[in-house]
Amino acid sequence: MSTVMARLSGWRLSGLERRIVWPFLLLLVVVQGISLMLVNGAIGDSATRAIDNDLQTGQRVFTRLLEQRAERLSEAAVLLASDFGFRSAVNSRDVDTLSDALENNGRRIGASLVIYTDPAWRPVAATGLDIGRVAALLPAARLMAMTDPVGGMSVQRARLTLIEGRAYQLVAVPVKAPRTVGWVLMGFVLDRSVLQQLAAITGLRGAVLLNGPPAHTLLTTFVQASDLRAESNPTASPCGRELHESGARWRSCEFVLDTGVSDGRAAPPLRLVLAHSVDEALAPFVRLQLTLLLLTGVGVVVFGVGSAMTARRLSRPIRGLRRAAERLSRADYDTPVRIPDEREVGDELVQLAQAFESTRQAVQRREHTIGRLAYWDTLTQLPNRAQFVDLLRQRLQPDAQGVVAPLAVMMLDLDRFKHVNDVLGHQFGDRLLCEVAQRLAAGCRGADMVLARLSGDEFGLMLDSRGVEHASTVARTLLAQLDAPMRLDEHMIDLSASLGIAFAPHHATEPEALLGLVEVAMYAAKRRQLGVLVYDTSMDTRSSASLSLLSELRVAIEQEELRLYVQPKVDLKTGQVLGGEALVRWLHPQRGLVPPMQFIPFAEQTGFIRQITVWMLETGVQALQRWQEAGLSMKLSINLSTRDLLDPTLTDRVRGLLDRHRVSAAWLCLEITESAIMDDPARALQTLQKLHELGVRLSIDDFGTGYSSLAYLKRLPVDELKIDRSFVTNMERDLDDARIVQSTIGLAHNLGLTVVAEGVETDKAWALLARLGCDEGQGYGIGRPMPSAEFLGWVRRWEAPSNEALHVDTDFAQML
């Protein structure tokens, strides 16, 4: 409202001026509004009281009208009973003369009913009602004749009687000559004329109802009489009910009318309902309300204009400072604040302007610092996650055709960085991160590449996508930058990392969603020790495909879809079968035989690997029991995951299975990967110690591919060490791999461990391993994984190859 008034005056109020005007104007409006509410309430109360008074008066007027009608009836009845001719007709029993006299007298006063009876109240003549129907009402008339003497004669007045559903005012007068020779009964029917008279006198609408249930309308001046037929509540007030007719509001009151008797029986009373127009009652007050409302509006306008003028006078000197503040709010810190002339505005505003200028300069300096802190990593001087996300969001914006340019996003995480921090301290870890940042920056020389430190030991990289091969090449280049050991002080640190890759818009088009998928791929690469891995929906437990896979895995165990396969292990010197390694296969009813790599990594990620391990242990121990019953003493190896090592119930479960199937613990071998041990060495050592005390053989799987620590290795209660297949497969062609295998065998034997070689695929590899002193071997060259039911038959058919005559190259011969 103040803005409208200001425009009418040629002004446009500023924000400060509105803040001055609005509170006072609002206060005035609130006060005036409360006043109007109070006045309206008082008017409503006064109108209600006036209406109720009018309704009470209307009831008294209605009663008086009935009394006047009763007096007319009484006078006419007495006059008729005293008439000599009428009395002569009575004495002569001339019925026709009686009927004419009754009809003439009734017509003269407008009576609805005139009856003459003998002294025994038997009908003789009647008008207005059939003589045969008169006998039914005579007992009621006889009862009324005994009350209310008037003028020395027994006359009943102002009482209502119900006759055949209609209300009558009825009087009874005796005919004496000189004794009572009969009775004259005269009555008016209670019709709309009484209510119309009442409306003409008081302006009230009325209705007469038979007091139900159900209520029955006898007569009414209401158009909508159905509103009156509802049964009244005996506990409610008789006044105050709201009625509506053609959009008009009426306030009503109910009054009880005594009916005495009805057709000879005690009758329920009649209800008189009177209604007063609420709109008519309020009409005199409407002009007053309009006047008050007009005065309120004029007061608001006058007050608004006056307060606006006062606000303009107060705000003019500081308007310049307001504009300066607006520039500061728009991050315009370069435009100086104008200092006003002291002679124009006074000392206070000059000081305020100087304070504004000092604030501008301070904010300008701090804004630069905050911007640096908000978007740059203070340790490595690389962009931080916030800047990386902003840049990523800009790169993901579609062009004019709605196309998002292909983009590759990578996330790199250092392996065992937490261990470095714990052992060498956080300051050393910070220096190591700076060195890593420098190496990674050296590998990101392309103009389209953005390198950032996302958090901790995580680094992010985005670049224009040229396909999976190009991104994978860049990723391997980054990992190669970390291959060379880092020397910090007297420490030599060997670094490795895991890196995940995702592509936009193929995988996602939102920055946070894309980073989430990259993180999933990075952790999958870390678990699988693959170095670089591109995101796939099977890695992500949040994807619908993964949810479906998890549900199917649960059903696979319940429906016995998992199968136990065994790959043989033999003594490389004698060729004797020593046992086998238990492997799980999934025979899916629709997909057929599902390879382990399609569900084992997912099971490890979701934690379902524990259920698979429980199944493997149960099925494997049952297989050992069958082998023993067949007379073969062979060992069976079963793999454990990281989650299995963290399970505090693992030892008790293994003990229970061995006891239940009566299998010696010495024939069960549990294989643990190096990464599973190194994730939490303390808890792993505790679990392995309990299993060792149980008598179970323990083996380190894939030795040489993880983060081996001889300090931990010598503390672990293991019995066996398995050389990874990557070294065994290449040793025939690579002398360095052969030396690694030879060193590993010597190290294991010095620690008192049995050595098992994986990946024995050729007779030559068998011969080389045997001559290097390896104890056991397994691989496709010995036997492929087979269903456990077929393993015993294979053992009986097995014949070891003769490798004595195999030729060994000169370089290898020098090693032996």
Side-chain angles (χ1 to χ4, degrees):
M1 184 178 293
S2 64
T3 303
V4 175
M5 292 184 296
R7 289 179 177 177
L8 291 176
S9 303
W11 290 346
R12 188 178 184 85
L13 296 180
S14 65
L16 177 61
E17 292 164 349
R18 288 195 297 271
R19 286 177 177 84
I20 295 174
V21 172
W22 271 112
F24 293 100
L25 191 58
L26 182 61
L27 180 61
L28 175 64
V29 171
V30 169
V31 171
Q32 291 296 102
I34 294 174
S35 300
L36 288 175
M37 290 174 58
L38 295 176
V39 169
N40 288 337
I43 289 174
D45 292 342
S46 298
T48 299
R49 287 193 297 270
I51 289 174
D52 291 344
N53 290 334
D54 290 345
L55 291 174
Q56 296 291 339
T57 302
Q59 186 267 342
R60 291 191 293 271
V61 171
F62 181 81
T63 302
R64 181 57 185 159
L65 290 174
L66 291 183
E67 291 176 351
Q68 290 176 353
R69 286 164 59 96
E71 289 173 359
R72 289 173 57 197
L73 282 175
S74 299
E75 293 173 357
V78 171
L79 182 61
L80 178 61
S82 302
D83 183 72
F84 176 80
F86 179 75
R87 294 170 68 178
S88 298
V90 169
N91 290 330
S92 64
R93 296 288 181 175
D94 187 350
V95 176
D96 293 335
T97 303
L98 287 174
S99 297
D100 291 340
L102 293 177
E103 183 176 358
N104 292 333
N105 279 276
R107 188 183 305 113
R108 179 171 54 82
I109 65 170
S112 304
L113 178 66
V114 185
I115 303 171
Y116 172 72
T117 70
D118 62 11
W121 291 91
R122 290 187 296 269
V124 178
T127 180
L129 193 64
D130 186 78
I131 191 68
R133 294 156 57 192
V134 168
L137 63 89
L138 291 180
R142 183 178 183 180
L143 180 62
M144 289 188 302
M146 308 305 298
T147 62
D148 297 340
V150 177
M153 304 181 69
S154 293
V155 180
Q156 185 270 351
R157 67 168 68 182
R159 296 189 66 181
L160 300 176
T161 301
L162 294 177
I163 301 176
E164 297 183 347
R166 303 182 72 184
Y168 286 84
Q169 281 185 282
L170 193 64
V171 296
V173 178
V175 180
K176 295 183 180 292
R179 58 181 179 85
T180 300
V181 295
W183 290 86
V184 175
L185 280 74
M186 301 188 73
F188 288 131
V189 67
L190 188 61
D191 56 12
R192 291 171 59 92
S193 62
V194 180
L195 297 177
Q196 290 170 348
Q197 284 182 294
L198 177 66
I201 297 171
T202 64
L204 300 178
R205 293 284 188 92
V208 177
L209 308 178
L210 176 62
N211 201 16
H216 176 66
T217 303
L218 296 179
L219 62 149
T220 179
T221 57
F222 285 100
V223 176
Q224 298 293 336
S226 59
D227 291 339
L228 305 174
R229 294 194 180 108
E231 181 180 0
S232 61
N233 185 355
T235 62
S237 173
C239 289
R241 184 179 177 190
E242 289 285 340
L243 301 175
H244 298 273
E245 177 189 353
S246 302
R249 293 185 302 135
W250 299 79
R251 181 177 176 87
S252 67
C253 276
E254 294 185 7
F255 306 95
V256 177
L257 302 177
D258 185 14
T259 56
V261 293
S262 172
D263 297 337
R265 299 182 302 274
L270 294 176
R271 287 189 292 133
L272 172 64
V273 180
L274 298 180
H276 193 298
S277 173
V278 177
D279 297 329
E280 292 179 3
L282 291 176
F285 301 102
V286 171
R287 185 176 297 114
L288 174 61
Q289 290 176 307
L290 293 176
T291 302
L292 291 176
L293 187 61
L294 178 61
L295 291 176
T296 299
V298 172
V300 169
V301 172
V302 172
F303 191 86
V305 172
S307 59
M309 295 175 61
T310 303
R312 176 59 58 90
R313 186 174 63 254
L314 294 175
S315 65
R316 187 179 295 111
I318 59 174
R319 193 166 301 142
L321 296 180
R322 186 201 65 190
R323 288 193 290 269
E326 290 174 350
R327 289 196 300 271
L328 292 177
S329 67
R330 295 192 301 267
D332 179 7
Y333 306 121
D334 298 327
T335 304
V337 177
R338 177 181 175 275
I339 307 299
D341 191 343
E342 182 177 349
R343 292 171 297 179
E344 296 179 358
V345 299
D347 295 342
E348 293 81 2
L349 287 179
V350 170
Q351 294 173 2
L352 180 60
Q354 291 172 344
F356 262 81
E357 175 61 16
S358 300
T359 301
R360 182 195 67 81
Q361 295 175 1
V363 170
Q364 186 180 37
R365 293 190 298 268
R366 291 170 186 170
E367 186 70 15
H368 178 75
T369 303
I370 291 172
R372 185 71 187 176
L373 293 174
Y375 288 96
W376 295 88
D377 179 54
T378 56
L379 179 65
T380 62
Q381 304 306 312
L382 293 175
N384 62 8
R385 185 184 185 93
Q387 185 178 171
F388 188 80
V389 170
D390 285 348
L391 294 174
L392 184 57
R393 183 175 288 106
Q394 295 174 16
R395 297 279 286 270
L396 292 175
Q397 291 297 320
D399 58 17
Q401 287 74 36
V403 178
V404 176
L407 187 68
V409 179
M410 305 179 187
M411 183 179 292
L412 180 146
D413 183 81
L414 299 179
D415 297 324
R416 297 182 64 204
F417 179 73
K418 180 178 182 297
H419 182 67
V420 173
N421 264 349
D422 293 342
V423 175
L424 300 177
H426 291 279
Q427 291 184 349
F428 188 89
D430 290 345
R431 294 176 58 194
L432 180 63
L433 288 175
C434 292
E435 181 66 23
V436 169
Q438 292 177 7
R439 291 194 179 189
L440 293 177
C444 300
R445 298 298 186 186
D448 62 337
M449 297 185 185
V450 176
L451 176 67
R453 182 192 177 198
L454 302 182
S455 66
D457 59 337
E458 289 182 355
F459 294 85
L461 176 69
M462 74 177 80
L463 68 156
D464 293 338
S465 175
R466 303 174 192 171
V468 176
E469 290 300 327
H470 174 257
S472 299
T473 301
V474 173
R476 285 190 290 271
T477 301
L478 291 177
L479 295 183
Q481 295 290 325
L482 305 178
D483 283 345
M486 295 184 184
R487 186 172 189 85
L488 296 176
D489 299 333
E490 70 277 8
H491 300 284
M492 185 66 72
I493 308 297
D494 288 321
L495 281 181
S496 62
S498 301
L499 193 147
I501 307 175
F503 295 91
H506 176 66
H507 291 133
T509 56
E510 292 295 328
E512 292 297 343
L514 197 58
L515 287 177
L517 301 183
V518 176
E519 187 174 20
V520 168
M522 182 267 291
Y523 281 116
K526 185 182 290 288
R527 284 192 304 273
R528 302 179 192 179
Q529 301 180 8
L530 297 178
V532 177
L533 195 60
V534 177
Y535 171 77
D536 184 80
T537 55
S538 62
M539 306 173 187
D540 193 353
T541 57
R542 299 167 299 182
S543 68
S544 59
S546 298
L547 291 175
S548 175
L549 182 60
L550 181 60
S551 300
E552 292 179 358
L553 270 176
R554 296 184 189 277
V555 175
I557 294 181
E558 297 172 359
Q559 301 297 327
E560 299 182 354
E561 297 176 5
L562 299 184
R563 299 289 183 269
L564 182 69
Y565 275 54
V566 178
Q567 186 175 26
K569 287 184 178 181
V570 301
D571 189 317
L572 293 179
K573 294 179 181 179
T574 66
Q576 178 186 359
V577 179
L578 301 177
E581 179 180 359
L583 303 171
V584 64
R585 297 292 185 267
W586 182 6
L587 187 59
H588 195 279
Q590 283 82 35
R591 305 180 190 178
L593 200 62
V594 181
M597 286 306 296
Q598 290 189 9
F599 68 91
I600 292 297
F602 173 77
E604 291 178 347
Q605 179 182 0
T606 59
F608 195 75
I609 192 65
R610 290 184 177 178
Q611 285 85 335
I612 295 179
T613 301
V614 170
W615 181 89
M616 287 284 291
L617 289 171
E618 176 75 30
T619 311
V621 172
Q622 291 176 0
L624 282 173
Q625 182 183 18
R626 291 194 298 270
W627 296 352
Q628 290 183 2
E629 292 172 351
L632 297 176
S633 298
M634 296 183 295
K635 64 181 179 180
L636 181 66
S637 300
I638 299 176
N639 287 280
L640 297 180
S641 69
T642 303
R643 294 180 182 268
D644 296 324
L645 285 180
L646 300 179
D647 184 0
T649 65
L650 177 63
T651 305
D652 294 335
R653 182 180 294 113
V654 172
R655 180 187 294 109
L657 287 173
L658 295 175
D659 293 343
R660 185 165 64 253
H661 295 284
R662 298 185 300 280
V663 172
S664 173
W667 299 116
L668 178 62
C669 180
L670 299 179
E671 296 184 1
I672 308 98
T673 61
E674 292 180 76
S675 59
I677 298 172
M678 300 310 295
D679 277 351
D680 194 342
R683 294 184 64 180
L685 179 61
Q686 183 180 8
T687 302
L688 294 177
Q689 188 64 44
K690 292 180 179 179
L691 292 171
H692 178 72
E693 294 171 358
L694 187 62
V696 174
R697 291 179 60 84
L698 299 174
S699 174
I700 297 181
D701 195 11
D702 298 338
F703 183 80
T705 62
Y707 313 107
S708 306
S709 170
L710 295 181
Y712 281 117
L713 183 60
K714 70 180 182 179
R715 293 171 53 193
L716 295 175
V718 296
D719 307 283
E720 185 180 282
L721 186 148
K722 295 184 72 174
I723 302 175
D724 184 68
R725 68 180 66 249
S726 61
F727 299 107
V728 175
T729 303
N730 296 328
M731 65 178 291
E732 299 179 44
R733 301 179 301 274
D734 193 327
L735 189 59
D736 290 334
D737 281 347
R739 291 193 178 96
I740 292 174
V741 172
Q742 182 184 37
S743 300
T744 303
I745 294 172
L747 172 65
H749 285 167
N750 289 333
L751 293 174
L753 306 179
T754 300
V755 181
V756 180
E758 294 182 300
V760 180
E761 299 181 357
T762 63
D763 292 344
K764 185 175 181 180
W766 183 324
L768 288 174
L769 289 168
R771 296 180 188 183
L772 290 174
C774 186
D775 301 298
E776 302 174 17
Q778 69 180 92
Y780 285 1
I782 299 173
R784 291 176 175 272
M786 63 192 73
S788 60
E790 301 175 5
F791 182 69
L792 291 179
W794 182 89
V795 171
R796 294 187 177 96
R797 298 189 303 270
W798 164 253
E799 292 183 3
S802 176
N803 297 325
E804 295 296 330
L806 283 176
H807 173 71
V808 180
D809 294 341
T810 303
D811 292 336
F812 289 102
Q814 293 176 357
M815 292 176 52
L816 303 176

